[in-house]
Amino acid sequence: MVNSLTDEELYKLARKARRHIIEMVYSAKSGHPGGSLSIIDVLITLYFRELNVSPSKPDDPRRDRLILSKGHASPGLYSALALRGFIPEESLAGFRKLPSKLEGHVHYGIPGVEASTGSLGQGLGIGVGLALASRLDSINNHVYVILGDGEIEEGSVWESLMAGYKFKLGNLIAILDRNGVQLDGYTEDIMPMIDLRRKVESFGWNVIEVDGHNIAEITAAIEKAKLQRDVPTFIIAKTVKGKGVSYMENNPKYHGAPPENEELYQRALSEIGDA
Amino acid sequence: MVVESLREAYGEELTKIGERDRDVVVLDADLSSSTKTALFGKKFPDRFFNMGVSEQSLVSTSAGLALGGKTAFVSTFAVFLARTYEQIRQAVCYNNINVKFVVTHAGITVGEDGATHQMVEDVGIMSGLPNMKVIVPVDSVETRSVIRFLHEDLKTPSYTRLTREKFPVLNDPGYEFKLGKSVIMRDGSDMTIIANGAMVAFALKAADELKGKGIDARVINMSSLKPIDRDAIIKAARETGRIVTAEEHSIYNGLGSRVSEVTGEEYPVPVRRMGMRDTFGKSGSSWELFDYFHLGVHDIAKISEDTFRGER
């Protein structure tokens, strides 16, 4: 299945995942749709085209690793894992409810999940450690870490950027969900990043900028990153928060809130369309 | 009395383990020559990661290595590790992975560097974390045994608290540490002093003083703080009726608190806690500081005698 799907088929899967995201947060009456919708095209591209992972062998030591450091986008990751066959699609209905394992933030112990995340700023360091472990064991895999652009206000992210360069982790690929919105408002108002590309480049990383909703561009960037040997790659995926649901797009309110009523819920599903 | 460095014992034991097990990795944050992980780093440079003065990166990277199948030993000074409480909570304890924190320069025996570097709250901070084990070795012999235990028998998070200062060697070379078990260093029936770390040697000397006054004190080394040896505490309460605790740590959330919890729940007897009384440390020589904070041998003897006689 992996590598054989067309872009169109991936967009269709992304629509399906978007529907799941909306259904999950509406059913849970809570959760984070905005950042899930912004990163879902990247997640679908990774799980259905790039990642060497298998639901039948989730513990294969040679597998690629993905850490969703912005762990509040759990509906996005859980949807992708369900569509890829790691967890049953029906289980998504348990999101944020007892006794489901589908915790509000990403929970280690769910098949396909590599680490618990949700407290921002820790995933890139975990990625550095995983990449080092692979190198010690001569495993020729890749470690992907998905970061939020509010998240990179955490100083720990920059500590890990230093470490990634120092240890020459060509097998480490960070992907930034650059949607420009965080809980309290717009990222450039809350804490300006100024020239993010130059900032990250000055830490010694290989930087690639792409449209994070264009599957062909995402694919090309990852393929390019995989060619690196000694330098880690930082892909800035330019995205729209809440992508696919007009009233959520670029709206800080939907960072962490579900559709408020049945009408908005149905509108979200109809705007996403059938999958 | 022979004194030996706990952190040197750690560095040496770590290096021996590194020879036997290629999956052991060590991380430090620019303090390896002080924590003694440099001994490992010199021998196994490929498996030693100096993260620089970046403790958050230190902890999250160790979590990644453990998730990647490695056995990670992580060292820095106690006070600096505490900065990363939340990384320890989320990345290590919640994932319940094989990361062993072994900190040095804990307590007031940092000495001259003063209050900023004298961590006396760490046992409390770490004990509250689900999945975390907390150990305070008493001497170099116990330190070596703890490190071997951590490597061979524990695959989940742990916090081991070492010191800058050398401590008297109290255990025989063949001694073996057991998690959740304490050791009666001197038996007695009139009252019990439960201590750990530097305070055990003081407690033994205090017991000698008490003997001169006709008080027969039991002295227990409670190196395993979490899990704690509940049976030994209940037995001491039942058999001796009075307990004094002594620790190089705050009286809040450390040994004294844990012992009081157990007696309070199981067998209430008077418990007097000796330790840092809601205060920061101070610059001075380590051994002078114990007297300064009323934690010396005579202080322990005095409080023990008062406790035995039922005076407050």
Side-chain angles (χ1 to χ4, degrees):
Chain A
M1 177 164 69
V2 172
N3 285 329
S4 63
L5 297 179
T6 64
D7 286 5
E8 279 318 307
E9 285 167 314
L10 292 191
Y11 282 120
K12 193 174 166 190
L13 281 164
R15 276 199 301 281
K16 212 167 183 177
R18 282 191 163 88
R19 293 184 73 88
H20 278 315
I21 291 165
I22 295 298
E23 287 160 4
M24 288 166 79
V25 297
Y26 188 64
S27 165
K29 300 185 177 64
S30 64
H32 298 79
S36 298
L37 293 168
S38 62
I39 199 60
I40 196 64
D41 298 308
V42 167
L43 281 168
I44 291 294
T45 307
L46 284 166
Y47 275 100
F48 286 89
R49 183 170 279 172
E50 298 294 342
L51 289 181
N52 176 26
V53 292
S54 164
S56 60
K57 284 166 75 183
D59 297 326
D60 186 338
R62 311 196 72 81
R63 70 192 184 277
D64 288 332
R65 310 279 191 139
L66 183 144
I67 305 289
L68 182 70
S69 190
K70 45 170 284 181
H72 55 277
S74 51
L77 180 65
Y78 296 161
S79 302
L81 289 174
L83 293 173
R84 187 70 176 78
F86 281 94
I87 55 174
E89 268 184 85
E90 312 84 73
S91 72
L92 296 177
F95 177 58
R96 285 180 169 249
K97 297 172 194 155
L98 290 171
S100 170
K101 275 188 182 178
L102 302 189
E103 284 276 313
H105 291 80
V106 172
H107 174 60
Y108 186 47
I110 297 168
V113 169
E114 301 289 359
S116 294
T117 51
S119 170
L120 298 176
Q122 304 190 19
L124 192 57
I126 292 172
V128 167
L130 282 166
L132 287 169
S134 290
R135 184 154 77 198
L136 286 172
D137 290 338
S138 304
I139 292 174
N140 189 25
N141 68 347
H142 285 90
V143 178
Y144 298 85
V145 179
I146 296 177
L147 302 161
D149 58 353
E151 172 175 25
I152 61 172
E153 291 159 14
E154 292 279 8
S156 54
V157 172
W158 302 88
E159 290 186 3
S160 296
L161 286 171
M162 288 192 283
Y165 169 78
K166 170 180 172 174
F167 296 115
K168 301 188 184 343
L169 297 175
N171 55 348
L172 178 62
I173 301 169
I175 303 175
L176 178 73
D177 183 7
R178 185 66 166 136
N179 59 39
V181 178
Q182 59 190 109
L183 192 148
D184 264 347
Y186 297 97
T187 56
E188 295 317 286
D189 296 332
I190 304 291
M191 192 52 68
M193 280 291 151
I194 317 173
D195 190 340
L196 180 61
R197 181 184 185 116
R198 272 184 58 208
K199 268 197 170 102
V200 178
E201 276 175 347
S202 75
F203 276 67
W205 286 53
N206 169 44
V207 178
I208 304 172
E209 288 180 79
V210 296
D211 175 348
H213 299 301
N214 183 321
I215 285 172
E217 279 193 34
I218 298 165
T219 304
I222 292 169
E223 289 301 321
K224 208 171 151 196
K226 282 179 171 175
L227 300 175
Q228 290 290 334
R229 284 289 161 265
D230 298 328
V231 180
T233 296
F234 193 97
I235 297 172
I236 299 173
K238 282 174 283 186
T239 56
V240 175
K241 191 120 177 178
K243 174 75 174 177
V245 179
S246 60
Y247 64 87
M248 289 188 176
E249 286 190 1
N250 211 24
N251 185 349
K253 180 179 168 191
Y254 291 101
H255 167 86
E260 290 90 334
N261 54 48
E262 182 69 20
E263 189 201 327
L264 287 172
Y265 170 60
Q266 293 300 342
R267 207 170 114 198
L269 290 179
S270 84
E271 284 186 17
I272 290 164
D274 291 332
Chain B
M1 196 173 268
V2 180
V3 293
E4 278 184 12
S5 161
L6 281 63
R7 53 193 165 112
E8 268 170 35
Y10 164 52
E12 288 166 13
E13 202 60 39
L14 198 54
T15 307
K16 284 186 202 164
I17 288 170
E19 274 165 22
R20 298 199 295 274
D21 184 351
R22 287 170 41 86
D23 278 332
V24 170
V25 297
V26 177
L27 299 90
D28 205 303
D30 192 42
L31 290 169
S32 64
S33 53
S34 297
T35 64
K36 302 300 174 191
T37 60
L39 296 171
F40 182 98
K42 204 169 231 177
K43 201 141 191 192
F44 310 106
D46 293 350
R47 291 188 270 143
F48 175 75
F49 305 105
N50 194 330
M51 305 306 296
V53 190
S54 304
E55 290 80 12
Q56 299 182 85
S57 170
L58 172 80
V59 175
S60 54
T61 302
S62 74
L65 280 156
L67 287 164
K70 300 296 166 189
T71 299
F73 282 85
V74 178
S75 290
T76 177
F77 290 179
V79 72
F80 304 133
L81 188 74
R83 164 195 303 239
T84 66
Y85 170 78
E86 212 229 344
Q87 268 83 8
I88 298 170
R89 179 180 190 273
Q90 315 277 6
V92 177
C93 288
Y94 187 46
N95 288 325
N96 200 16
I97 51 177
N98 197 2
V99 177
K100 301 149 191 334
F101 300 103
V102 182
V103 298
T104 67
H105 296 64
I108 56 174
T109 46
V110 176
E112 292 79 356
D113 274 348
T116 57
H117 283 50
Q118 292 166 355
M119 171 47 96
V120 294
E121 311 93 59
D122 53 331
V123 166
I125 293 169
M126 296 300 159
S127 294
L129 288 166
N131 296 331
M132 184 68 107
K133 307 286 189 289
V134 179
I135 303 165
V136 182
V138 72
D139 64 6
S140 60
V141 174
E142 187 166 47
T143 300
R144 290 178 193 278
S145 181
V146 166
I147 299 305
R148 286 193 297 269
F149 160 78
L150 294 177
H151 173 244
E152 284 156 29
D153 297 323
L154 195 69
K155 304 293 176 210
T156 53
S158 62
Y159 180 83
T160 302
R161 183 187 207 239
L162 306 180
T163 49
R164 171 180 159 269
E165 201 72 64
K166 293 174 180 174
F167 284 176
V169 179
L170 302 179
N171 285 298
D172 296 330
Y175 166 80
E176 270 187 48
F177 166 82
K178 290 191 181 64
L179 186 70
K181 293 290 173 203
S182 61
V183 178
I184 295 177
M185 306 298 282
R186 169 189 179 126
D187 209 356
S189 54
D190 290 336
M191 61 149 317
T192 302
I193 307 171
I194 302 179
N196 63 21
M199 306 304 287
V200 177
F202 290 178
L204 288 168
K205 283 185 188 160
D208 286 341
E209 283 188 21
L210 292 166
K211 187 80 185 167
K213 294 180 175 176
I215 301 167
D216 186 20
R218 179 180 299 180
V219 176
I220 292 176
N221 170 25
M222 191 64 73
S223 44
S224 179
L225 263 288
K226 191 186 171 201
I228 201 162
D229 190 346
R230 296 177 75 91
D231 293 344
I233 296 168
I234 296 164
K235 197 159 178 273
R238 197 168 48 225
E239 292 176 359
T240 73
R242 299 259 191 281
I243 293 175
V244 169
T245 64
E247 61 196 305
E248 191 190 340
H249 184 272
S250 170
I251 55 166
Y252 297 136
N253 309 321
L255 175 65
S257 294
R258 299 300 315 280
V259 168
S260 304
E261 285 161 19
V262 175
T263 56
E265 284 177 351
E266 308 275 357
Y267 200 96
V269 296
V271 176
R272 288 285 294 276
R273 293 169 300 155
M274 299 186 68
M276 297 293 280
R277 304 191 75 81
D278 201 17
T279 181
F280 289 105
K282 205 166 166 36
S283 278
S285 85
S286 297
W287 308 110
E288 286 169 354
L289 285 170
F290 282 111
D291 290 331
Y292 182 85
F293 287 108
H294 307 293
L295 296 171
V297 173
H298 304 307
D299 299 303
I300 298 174
K302 170 80 170 60
I303 296 286
S304 296
E305 186 181 351
D306 291 351
T307 305
F308 170 70
R309 299 197 193 288
E311 292 163 12
R312 295 195 56 83

